[in-house]
Amino acid sequence: MVTEKTIELSEEEKFAKLDEIIEKNQGQEGILINVLHQAQQIFGHVARKVQLHIAEGLDIPFSKVYAVVSFYSLFSTDVRGRYTIEVCTGTACYVKGAEDILEKLKTELEIDPGETTDDGLFTLETTRCIGACGMAPIIKIGDNTHGRLEEDQIPDLLSKYE
Ligand code: FES
């Protein structure tokens, strides 16, 4: 997750921070994964230019960095919001109105699933059953789960995240 502190950094400052991390981790085992993980925390994603910067900093081929980023689903090459909203569209949630919840989120945020709001705050996604059907319909915002939601509650709920 992008922290409050890192999202305020300029791109130049983010790259400077990444350089510090690369420097600090030189020679350590699993350095590439570790650096990529921290880069994702700083930038919110690991875009091509971040991968190139890491390859150069670690003095390894870009193809090696790219291969790791492509292999592990935890790494994202797209710009991500500070919070990912996951709307469960599993059967129980669907029956309890997940579609209305999703529509309301799309309207409030003015984005479709897979997109990020212009202010960089939210990325909207749908997900399959997350195993809490008793609380349907459910959405997750970052690490927080919100259950038995009604669409009218969405604006208030979103306003708590900044
Ligand atoms: S269907 Fe949504 S939590 Fe199971």
Side-chain angles (χ1 to χ4, degrees):
M1 191 173 92
V2 182
T3 64
E4 190 109 12
K5 210 171 162 196
T6 54
I7 206 158
E8 288 164 3
L9 297 176
S10 67
E11 182 151 293
E12 203 173 285
E13 289 168 327
K14 288 178 183 176
F15 276 108
K17 201 170 168 60
L18 179 58
D19 285 337
E20 274 174 37
I21 289 163
I22 290 171
E23 183 63 33
K24 211 164 74 187
N25 285 274
Q26 288 288 4
Q28 290 187 18
E29 206 171 313
I31 182 172
L32 179 53
I33 300 269
N34 192 9
V35 168
L36 281 168
H37 188 65
Q38 293 191 61
Q40 181 150 284
Q41 285 185 322
I42 294 169
F43 291 89
H45 61 287
V46 273
R48 185 182 163 85
K49 65 180 174 184
V50 176
Q51 294 176 46
L52 282 166
H53 195 87
I54 291 172
E56 198 177 310
L58 296 179
D59 198 19
I60 56 176
F62 168 72
S63 58
K64 191 170 176 184
V65 179
Y66 178 77
V68 171
V69 170
S70 310
F71 182 77
Y72 291 102
S73 59
L74 74 107
F75 294 123
S76 169
T77 54
D78 299 327
V79 176
R80 309 281 303 176
R82 189 184 304 183
Y83 304 103
T84 297
I85 301 178
E86 295 173 88
V87 181
C88 177
T89 52
T91 308
C93 287
Y94 183 82
V95 169
K96 295 273 188 178
E99 214 170 357
D100 293 338
I101 300 287
L102 181 59
E103 283 307 314
K104 184 71 176 175
L105 281 164
K106 283 164 62 176
T107 306
E108 288 293 316
L109 300 172
E110 298 180 340
I111 54 172
D112 284 323
E115 294 179 346
T116 297
T117 52
D118 287 342
D119 62 3
L121 201 53
F122 297 110
T123 296
L124 183 60
E125 286 180 351
T126 57
T127 182
R128 293 181 180 192
C129 177
I130 59 171
C133 309
M135 289 169 63
I138 279 190
I139 68 171
K140 277 185 82 181
I141 304 182
D143 294 330
N144 301 323
T145 302
H146 303 277
R148 296 197 183 96
L149 264 187
E150 289 178 22
E151 55 180 292
D152 297 351
Q153 297 173 297
I154 299 284
D156 258 7
L157 185 58
L158 293 176
S159 69
K160 295 194 173 89
Y161 292 84
E162 50 185 38

